[in-house]
Structures are given as C-alpha cells and as structure tokens.
Amino acid sequence: MGNTEIGILVIAGVCTLVLVIGILKKRAQILLNFAVRAAVCLILSYFLDTFLASRGIPVSVGLNLISLLTFGTLGFYGMAALYGILFLGLL
C-alpha cells in the first residue's frame, strides 16, 4: 500500500469515528431528555393525585409502565392527556 492509500484510509477512519461519536451523543441526549421528562411528570403526577384525592376528586393516573412511557415521550402534554381522559370519564 502506498502512502496515498494509507492516508485515505486514515481520513475515512477518522470520519467514521466522528460520525459514530455524533450518533452516540445524539442518542444520549434523547435518552436524557426522555428520562428527565418521565421523572418530572411522575413526580407531578404523584403530587397531583395526592391533591385531587384530598379534595375528594376520584381521578388518579396510576404510576405504571404505560404512564411512564407516555410521560417520557410526550412530557407535560402526555400527562395532561391522561388526566383529560380520566376527567372525561367523570362526565
């Protein structure tokens, strides 16, 4: 192999490494955003369930896998949607 071919392979390897690091960084950011949204919404949901129960309103979003996935994916809007569905059941 000549120096030109080795140089091309090194440049291609560095470019591939940069792309892989970029993809992993983006995935880590997506997972971190999901975890933060899920944690914040779970905490808010717990306190909102407690508040509504103390007021005698029979609406409670369970803290389970489905609500966790909804909270993590949609954030506050997912929490509002789950509570909205339950409030519609009261009508």
Side-chain angles (χ1 to χ4, degrees), residues 13 31 44 57 70 77:
L31 289 175
L44 286 174
I57 301 173
T70 303
Y77 299 112

Side-chain angles (χ1 to χ4, degrees), residues 2 14 29 48 69 82 89:
V14 170
Q29 184 178 8
L48 190 58
L69 291 174
L82 289 178

Side-chain angles (χ1 to χ4, degrees), residues 2-20:
N3 288 336
T4 306
E5 293 172 348
I6 292 175
I8 290 173
L9 289 175
V10 168
I11 291 173
V14 170
C15 288
T16 304
L17 182 64
V18 168
L19 287 174
V20 168

Side-chain angles (χ1 to χ4, degrees), residues 1-59:
M1 262 190 188
N3 288 336
T4 306
E5 293 172 348
I6 292 175
I8 290 173
L9 289 175
V10 168
I11 291 173
V14 170
C15 288
T16 304
L17 182 64
V18 168
L19 287 174
V20 168
I21 290 172
I23 290 170
L24 291 177
K25 183 178 178 183
K26 186 171 181 162
R27 279 194 180 158
Q29 184 178 8
I30 290 170
L31 289 175
L32 179 65
N33 286 337
F34 180 87
V36 168
R37 279 192 305 260
V40 169
C41 286
L42 281 173
I43 291 169
L44 286 174
S45 178
Y46 173 76
F47 286 118
L48 190 58
D49 284 348
T50 305
F51 175 75
L52 292 174
S54 71
R55 301 285 185 212
I57 301 173
V59 172

